[in-house]
Amino acid sequence: MSGRDTELKRDSALKGELEAAVQTRKELGETYESELVDSFLEKVEQRIDATVDKRVRRRLAEQQMVIARGGRPAPGGGGERNGPGAAFALAALSLVLAIPLSAIAAVQTGLAGMFVCWAGIVGVNACFAGGKWLGRKTPDGDWD
């Protein structure tokens, strides 16, 4: 089984968890709503932590390989913000987190909450893109 197959399996497991939480909320009513939301968010947090840990371990292993080969590690941790991978990762993470956040916002505050939720998601992505755009320098390194 490839790494991509494992990720798809984990995504479907997370989706199943969300569906189970929503169904349980329908059956139990509002009495246990906060506990259900907290439980689901804890699972999402664990998933994010595992992903971040995996990326950090991979980055450290890459740096150790460069050092072992006699090179020097790239300044700033490898220039992760310079490649398209970081933008894609943020976009993918935003979409994955948008599902539970939208559900929570819709249940708690309705359509207005969903608009605020999506405005926040768009804002985070816009700030990332804007920061990346503002961080670029001209070829000679001067702003003039």
Side-chain angles (χ1 to χ4, degrees), residues 80-89 132:
E80 200 171 284
R81 286 180 54 105
N82 294 335
F88 178 76
K132 195 171 182 182

Side-chain angles (χ1 to χ4, degrees), residues 42 44-55 57:
E42 184 176 324
V44 170
E45 184 179 347
Q46 290 171 353
R47 171 90 185 270
I48 291 170
D49 288 345
T51 302
V52 169
D53 288 345
K54 181 179 172 183
R55 288 181 184 166
R57 283 193 304 271

Side-chain angles (χ1 to χ4, degrees), residues 40-136:
F40 179 75
L41 289 178
E42 184 176 324
K43 291 174 185 171
V44 170
E45 184 179 347
Q46 290 171 353
R47 171 90 185 270
I48 291 170
D49 288 345
T51 302
V52 169
D53 288 345
K54 181 179 172 183
R55 288 181 184 166
V56 167
R57 283 193 304 271
R58 185 175 4 170
R59 175 70 63 194
L60 289 174
E62 289 172 358
Q63 288 178 351
Q64 289 173 349
M65 288 296 292
V66 169
I67 292 170
R69 292 179 179 162
R72 293 194 321 208
E80 200 171 284
R81 286 180 54 105
N82 294 335
F88 178 76
L90 179 64
L93 183 63
S94 295
L95 290 174
V96 168
L97 290 178
I99 295 168
L101 291 174
S102 296
I104 293 166
V107 168
Q108 296 294 325
T109 59
L111 191 58
M114 282 190 61
F115 283 134
V116 170
C117 174
W118 278 93
I121 292 168
V122 169
V124 167
N125 283 279
C127 287
F128 179 82
K132 195 171 182 182
W133 179 74
L134 290 174
R136 290 187 181 143

